Amino acid sequence: GENVEQHPSTLSVQEGDSAVIKCTYSDSASNYFPWYKQELGKRPQLIIDIRSNVGEKKDQRIAVTLNKTAKHFSLHITETQPEDSAVYFCAALSSGSARQLTFGSGTQLTVLP
Amino acid sequence: SAVISQKPSRDICQRGTSLTIQCQVDSQVTMMFWYRQQPGQSLTLIATANQGSEATYESGFVIDKFPISRPNLTFSTLTVSNMSPEDSSIYLCSVGSSTDTQYFGPGTRLTVL
């Protein structure tokens, strides 16, 4: 089955700086890669996603890049703000009829004011 | 996106008892999933809830321990049976769209004493 690795496990940045979180996946047939943000005590919220037919997608301060050849994708947050502090999870959608998401281990992002 | 609710939001239970968690969606959805999130950990898929047929369980999860019902396209239940302290977790349902995007319910925080 699919295996997703996520790095780093913790990340601290100064307010206004950029943050980058990286994930690798094992199933070359995976074709959908969402990112979720989970604040303490809250449900995971989808913040951006990308499909395998594009290499980059941007939404205001958030962007995701995908390298299908290397089987890795990254989340980029620019001009970080204290409210960006949360745990971020990457995920990959397995191929086949099951259509299941496999999640990375998560990154605790702390934005220091 | 669909509005997803779960009941109860939290519970404290004695070991050996069972708890049934409900997941209600405000519109018909094809795919419904149940996840477990242990403290400080990522999300692990328990099973896919199939409407009108038996759920599809992931490795390490069995029907006797986690029976699931899905009587229609807007509702599902997960029962955690014969609970032990190791079952203390957050249990989340999610719904999948035709575009593979998954949205999560608010979760049920379970503590087993």
Side-chain angles (χ1 to χ4, degrees):
Chain A
E2 176 68 275
N3 182 50
V4 178
E5 295 191 358
Q6 183 171 346
H7 300 281
S9 56
T10 61
L11 179 61
S12 292
V13 299
Q14 290 294 136
E15 183 177 359
D17 287 350
S18 295
V20 180
I21 303 170
K22 299 181 179 181
C23 289
T24 61
Y25 61 98
S26 61
D27 184 357
S28 57
S30 291
N31 58 9
Y32 174 67
F33 308 92
W35 286 88
Y36 289 85
K37 174 184 180 182
Q38 188 175 32
E39 297 176 82
L40 191 62
K42 301 288 182 64
R43 75 184 80 186
Q45 295 271 17
L46 178 72
I47 56 171
I48 196 167
D49 56 13
I50 192 168
R51 299 186 186 276
S52 58
N53 58 346
V54 298
E56 183 174 2
K57 184 177 178 179
K58 193 171 182 179
D59 183 3
Q60 298 183 344
R61 297 187 296 110
I62 295 173
V64 57
T65 59
L66 172 66
N67 184 326
K68 285 169 52 181
T69 303
K71 291 189 285 186
H72 70 70
F73 56 112
S74 301
L75 178 71
H76 305 254
I77 305 174
T78 59
E79 301 172 23
T80 53
Q81 302 166 3
E83 50 266 38
D84 294 328
S85 297
V87 179
Y88 291 81
F89 293 100
C90 64
L93 188 74
S94 63
S95 56
S97 60
R99 313 306 288 165
Q100 298 161 351
L101 285 177
T102 300
F103 283 83
S105 54
T107 297
Q108 172 69 63
L109 173 65
T110 302
V111 180
L112 305 169
Chain B
S1 60
V3 176
I4 309 166
S5 59
Q6 281 185 237
K7 289 196 292 188
S9 58
R10 58 178 63 228
D11 208 340
I12 301 173
C13 301
Q14 296 297 320
R15 70 169 65 210
T17 62
S18 297
L19 176 72
T20 296
I21 303 167
Q22 299 179 5
C23 179
Q24 180 75 55
V25 191
D26 69 343
S27 60
Q28 293 186 342
V29 293
T30 305
M31 308 292 285
M32 292 184 78
F33 305 91
W34 287 98
Y35 289 83
R36 181 175 71 183
Q37 187 174 30
Q38 295 178 302
Q41 301 296 311
S42 184
L43 295 94
T44 301
L45 181 65
I46 297 171
T48 302
N50 301 308
Q51 194 267 327
S53 64
E54 194 171 285
T56 304
Y57 290 85
E58 296 304 299
S59 176
F61 298 96
V62 295
I63 187 171
D64 289 346
K65 176 67 176 177
F66 297 101
I68 288 171
S69 78
R70 183 147 182 223
N72 55 52
L73 293 176
T74 64
F75 185 78
S76 179
T77 67
L78 168 74
T79 299
V80 186
S81 303
N82 188 24
M83 289 183 286
S84 66
E86 292 71 37
D87 295 320
S88 297
S89 285
I90 298 172
Y91 292 86
L92 298 127
C93 68
S94 76
V95 301
S97 70
S98 59
T99 59
D100 294 321
T101 306
Q102 282 191 31
Y103 299 97
F104 285 86
T108 296
R109 183 179 295 271
L110 171 62
T111 302
V112 183
L113 303 177

